[in-house]
Amino acid sequence: MLDNKRILLIVAGGIAAYKTPELVRLIGKAGGQARVILTRAGGQFVTPMTLASVSGDTVYDDLFSFTEESDMGHIQLSRDADLVVVAPATADLMAKMAAGLADDLASTALLATDKPVIIAPAMNVRMWEHPATQHNLKTLNARGIRCVGPEEGDMACGEYGMGRMAEPGDILVAIQSFFRTSDRLIGRRALVTSGPTHEAIDPVRYIANRSSGKQGHAIAAALAAMGAETTLVSGPTNQPDPAGVQVIRVQSARNMLDACENALPADIAVCAAAVADWRPADEASRKMKKEPGTAPAPMALDENPDILRTLGAAGNKRPGLLIGFAAETGAVVENAQKKRLSKGCDWILANDVSSQTGTFGGDDNTVHLVDKDGVENWPRLSKVAVAEKLADRIAMTLEASA
Ligand code: C5P
């Protein structure tokens, strides 16, 4: 049951919009309240009157309507909901969401919302497969936006392929499963580290590594989506900030350690950052010049603090469940087992980052979860799926010990 949960349904302009009155009816039947925003193009496929009748509420369809703005502004509309559902999510609306455009009520509400969002894409197969749409989908996924469908089948345009909107019943299942998981970590504090660190050589050069931050950011998003109050301490990355997460940006390992210690206490800590092990012993205050004909001076290095190990030895401030990663290029599980003990953490997620695996910078990851009882081999999954599976395991463990 949806227990009076408030769902803001955004109906964009695709033929699948004709199925949305049924979705509104199912949400109501399951005990939820649907409020509808209809785009101008959506209004060509389903009438405001139909949606108003099934939702029992005004249908909002004009950003510049003064009565609606004074009655219920676009910011208020998006904040008042527990969940925003976009169905059908057209290629155009997905592109606007990815780019942060806001030129009508639907896109403005989506940009203004701080609430979780589920999209149900629907479009022609070629539009779905277009690199632009796939790129936008990845951007939206990385922000923690969930996606239900599309499905394969006959299309209204006469073609066959991926792009049919998920059926209203399946969208309802996605909404219900979202609410089932969304409160599992409420009241828990989580700390996640992500990305590489940059260790300055001089004002323009630094030592770093190839970590993209994709896995760490996805973990922070998944923990926040389950209701954890999540702090993400991130080295320099190009990843968008995950929804509902407090992001603290740092450069060096020492900055990262300070930010982590300030974020304590935490019930959960996941150290996914690829922290540089060493830093230049002396950071030059001016750009180092090369002297023609002279050999470069050797660079002395100092060891960086080990953040995971420091958290593991933090006494009564030690996070209740402490999880590290082990990026290895050989003997992956054996090394992870040793690392778990030496760093004082509870679990290690071991992954093979040999160049042929494409893990560094890629979208997929093959993980082995090593804990005190042994090893669990996970199948190759997207980094987002690894994050969701990990968040589920964390919630299960905390529920079992509560
Ligand atoms: O020793 P290694 O770098 O392989 O350990 C990996 C694990 O330790 C990761 O969880 C990483 O985030 C963490 N780590 C850390 N601080 C360091 C080095 C590694 O937190 N200086």
Side-chain angles (χ1 to χ4, degrees), residues 116-194:
V117 179
I118 297 180
I119 58 172
M123 66 199 71
N124 165 273
V125 55
R126 289 182 210 288
M127 292 168 80
W128 173 250
E129 286 171 357
H130 195 285
T133 303
Q134 289 303 310
H135 180 78
N136 292 334
L137 178 67
K138 272 190 190 155
T139 304
L140 298 177
N141 279 339
R143 284 185 204 148
I145 291 177
R146 286 143 193 269
C147 187
V148 45
E151 290 166 359
E152 197 175 322
D154 290 321
M155 326 215 91
C157 54
E159 290 191 62
Y160 180 91
M162 270 315 239
R164 282 169 63 97
M165 188 176 82
E167 290 301 323
D170 293 329
I171 299 176
L172 180 70
V173 168
I175 294 171
Q176 286 171 318
S177 103
F178 164 78
F179 283 117
R180 253 198 314 280
T181 58
S182 68
D183 55 3
R184 288 177 74 191
L185 291 174
I186 277 183
R188 307 284 190 175
R189 285 169 61 96
L191 165 66
V192 180
T193 70
S194 182

Side-chain angles (χ1 to χ4, degrees), residues 193 253 256 270-278 304-311 323-328 339 343 348-349:
T193 70
M256 188 174 270
V270 184
C271 292
V275 183
D277 290 315
W278 301 285
N304 264 332
D306 189 312
I307 297 162
L308 179 60
R309 182 172 288 133
T310 309
L311 295 178
I323 302 166
F325 270 77
E328 304 285 351
K339 202 160 281 179
K343 301 228 183 190
I348 285 272
L349 294 193

Side-chain angles (χ1 to χ4, degrees), residues 332-342 348 370 374-375:
V332 176
V333 171
E334 294 74 4
N335 286 334
Q337 268 154 341
K338 284 189 208 137
K339 202 160 281 179
R340 193 183 81 78
L341 296 173
S342 74
I348 285 272
V370 178
V375 184

Side-chain angles (χ1 to χ4, degrees), residues 11-14 37-46 48 60-64 96 103-106:
V11 179
I37 291 180
L38 182 62
T39 67
R40 199 181 299 266
Q44 303 291 320
F45 296 95
V46 60
Y60 296 83
D61 60 1
D62 184 356
L63 178 56
F64 300 105
K96 281 185 182 159
D103 65 352
D104 64 359
L105 179 58

Side-chain angles (χ1 to χ4, degrees), residues 363-385:
D363 290 321
D364 296 334
N365 207 350
T366 310
V367 159
H368 313 272
L369 191 152
V370 178
D371 66 7
K372 66 176 176 18
D373 299 320
V375 184
E376 193 179 295
N377 298 313
W378 291 5
R380 189 158 186 80
L381 295 168
S382 71
K383 288 182 177 173
V384 170

